[in-house]
Amino acid sequence: MHDQMTELLNHVAAPVFVLDVTADGTPVYSVFNDYAMKTAAMTAETILGRTAKEIYGGRFGEMAYQRHLEVIASGKTSTYELELPLRGIPCWVRTTLKPVTDAQGRVVQLIGTSIDITAEQQAREMQASFRTITGEMEQFVSLAAHDLRAPMRNVKFLAEMLREDFLDQGDGKVELIDLLEDVATKSAVLISDVLSHAQSDTSSAAEVVPFDFGALCQSISNVLDPRNHHRITWFSALMQGEKTAFQIVLRNLVENAIKHARHNNLQLEIALVHHTADMIEIEVRDDGKGFDNPALAFLGSGQLRSESGYGLFGVRRLIAARGGTISVKNGVNRSGSIVRFSLPGTLVRVIPAPVTAQPLPVSLR
């Protein structure tokens, strides 16, 4: 009968096996179809008539054997996952065991099927690792933003102290003090926005508000380039969306471009590329030195590279979590970079003509 069953199961393109339960309750393999033999890289001589403990040995065999005993004891079909050495390497398999009983209700056979889920298990582990890493990063950002608020308040306080009884001699020192206070104030606002975003990141509903995109860009420019060393332009529009998300993405991209600029007069343009009823696509283009390969590969593939920096990692994760996309490429001969990203939002009104960052007073240029 076993020969007939084996012949039949050999036509099944999946691992199938049968265990006979001996009089003393020991499950031993009696049938192992060809597909199962190929998957396990074993022969009938090494499998048939033996228990899982004898075949696989060690903790692998013991775990599989205990699963067989559990199904015999319960008399119920069971699906479980365990690690087994297949083809000489540990692999994860998902097995379903169905008991067969005799007229007295005693389990006399176990019929099982298995599939290799190693790739699925690796994906789970990567996802768990990703959640751990991102959780730690979010906690770090929250703590960093919280700790930075006090120094920014102190900078503003120092600027106010410097202004008191300061004699203006027309050499631009007063304007510098005003600039210091203005940058500290705007930085404190951005830090508070990031902190609020980090604290509410696990919330099921994002805060969608109307906001002035041009004013947002101006604020970012004032903080990152207060002396107007670079030429930053953007489109002006009224939007409805998650303002903090747009602010975080743009601030990171603009800051990255300025930090890696090859010269002190970077040309950077923030342009509207495309929009639908519920999604806005924006392009950030500059004439700097472009992205290094690690950052380029990270943004394109989503794989975490330590060289890419937390800023780019956070940007991609924030966008992906909201159903948006991001892509990056370098210009010809790495003449600058072009980053496109999309986020949920609605354009209420657009002013096509580009706006340039407001220049500082003449005394400061």
Side-chain angles (χ1 to χ4, degrees), residues 302-317:
Q303 297 175 351
L304 176 60
R305 306 285 184 88
S306 59
E307 304 96 319
S308 299
Y310 169 68
L312 297 181
F313 175 81
V315 163
R316 190 183 192 283
R317 181 186 175 279

Side-chain angles (χ1 to χ4, degrees), residues 1 41 45 54 60 95 117 156 184 248 256 271 307 344 352:
M1 181 175 175
E45 290 74 17
E54 294 171 324
F60 298 115
T95 298
I117 60 165
K156 182 179 178 181
I248 291 174
N256 187 77
E307 304 96 319

